[in-house]
Amino acid sequence: MDNSSGVGVLDKAAVVLAALEAGPSTLAQLVAHTGLARPTAHRLAVALEHHRLVARDLQGRFILGPRLGELASAAGEDRLLAAAGPVLGALRDHTHESAQLFRRQGDQRICVAAADRPMGLRDSIPVGATLSMAAGSAAQVLLAWEEPDRLHRGLQGAKFSATMLSGVRRRGWAQSVGEREPGVASVSAPVRSPSGRVIAAVSISGPIERVSRQPGRLHAATVVAGANKLTEILARAHAAQQRPRPSSDVG
C-alpha cells in the first residue's frame, strides 16, 4: 500500500476515510474505491462509525462523521476558519447583510462561520446549523463543480436544475430567491483548495425586499471577491508550507 506507515490497520482506516472524502458510499462502493476485502472494509467502517469518524446518511450510506469537524476545529490549525472571520465581517459591513461560510458534509451543508447583520430584519444562520443540499445558493455552489455522477445524484429532489448549475459554473457564483426559505434571497461563491477543488461556499443572505429578486446584480462581485480572498489565503499558506526550511548547518 502506498504511503504505508507500518501500522496496517491505521493505513487501511485512512484509506476508508480518504474514499469517503469524495462523498457518500455504500459498502460495495467503499470496497471498489479502497481495494479492501469486503469484510475488512465493513469492519473498519463500523469501527470508525463507533468513534463518530464515520456516520450514515438517510440512505444508510457511509459518510464522514461529525468527529472530524470537531477535531479540525479543536486543532486550531484550520486556516479556512481562521481566515473566515475577517472576510465574512468585511462582507457583512460592505453589503449590510448577514454573511456565512458553508461546507458540505454528505447530503447536508453546515454553517461553519458567520457574521450577522447587527440589527434590523436579517437572515441569521448560527454556526453549526445544518441545512439541506437541495436548496439555496450555497448548495448550488457546493454541488455545481462535483463529478457528473455525484452532481446527478444531488439534483434528485433539488429545487434547482442542471441548467441552473451550468450557469453557476459559467458565472462563478449562484443566487437563490425564496428557494431555501420564503422571503429570503442569497448569493454564494466557491472557495477552492490549493488543488482547485471547491471546499466551501461563501454566502450573503437577507430579506428579498432589501437584496431584491436579482441579488446577484447587487452583491455577486463582492461575494466572489470574498471567496477569492479565502482561496488566496489557503494557497499562500500551502505554498509557504511547501517551501524548504533553511538549513541550520553552519558552512
Side-chain angles (χ1 to χ4, degrees):
M1 185 179 293
D2 292 337
N3 301 318
S4 172
S5 69
V7 183
V9 67
L10 287 181
D11 290 337
K12 290 172 183 175
V15 167
V16 168
L17 293 174
L20 294 179
E21 186 182 4
S25 291
T26 63
L27 179 57
Q29 289 169 331
L30 206 54
V31 169
H33 291 154
T34 62
L36 297 171
R38 187 181 179 92
T40 301
H42 182 261
R43 186 171 66 251
L44 285 171
V46 170
L48 290 167
E49 185 181 11
H50 175 77
H51 291 287
R52 299 174 63 242
L53 295 166
V54 165
R56 308 270 188 137
D57 66 10
L58 295 175
Q59 286 76 48
R61 297 172 299 180
F62 294 106
I63 58 173
L64 293 177
R67 185 64 183 144
L68 292 169
E70 294 165 5
L71 290 171
S73 297
E77 295 180 357
D78 191 327
R79 293 185 180 89
L80 179 59
L81 292 186
V87 171
L88 294 182
L91 262 180
R92 174 199 58 204
D93 295 344
H94 191 275
T95 64
H96 306 294
E97 302 297 346
S98 297
Q100 305 91 25
L101 180 71
F102 291 98
R103 278 175 161 170
R104 181 175 184 178
Q105 188 175 80
D107 293 335
Q108 299 172 318
R109 55 186 169 105
I110 298 173
C111 179
V112 294
D116 278 342
R117 176 186 166 98
M119 53 202 305
L121 189 61
R122 62 188 181 269
D123 181 40
S124 182
I125 300 174
V127 172
T130 300
L131 279 68
S132 169
M133 277 292 295
S137 62
Q140 294 177 36
V141 162
L142 292 170
L143 188 61
W145 283 272
E146 287 283 13
E147 295 176 357
D149 59 334
R150 291 194 73 200
L151 192 152
H152 178 72
R153 289 200 303 271
L155 283 170
Q156 295 173 11
K159 293 185 179 180
F160 43 79
S161 65
T163 301
M164 290 172 67
L165 294 189
S166 178
V168 171
R169 290 191 295 274
R170 186 176 65 252
R171 292 190 308 267
W173 54 269
Q175 66 178 9
S176 69
V177 179
E179 193 175 278
R180 172 178 62 83
E181 186 176 334
V184 173
S186 67
V187 181
S188 299
V191 178
R192 296 179 181 273
S193 70
S195 68
R197 186 169 62 90
V198 173
I199 56 171
V202 169
S203 304
I204 65 100
S205 58
I208 292 173
E209 62 250 37
R210 203 164 55 225
V211 299
S212 83
R213 300 196 72 83
Q214 289 290 331
R217 289 183 182 174
L218 289 177
H219 299 305
T222 305
V223 175
V224 168
N228 288 346
K229 176 73 172 174
L230 287 176
T231 297
E232 289 162 12
I233 290 170
L234 295 177
R236 285 201 303 269
H238 179 73
Q241 230 179 6
Q242 301 307 305
R243 291 192 201 109
R245 295 181 180 178
S247 173
S248 59
D249 295 342
V250 178

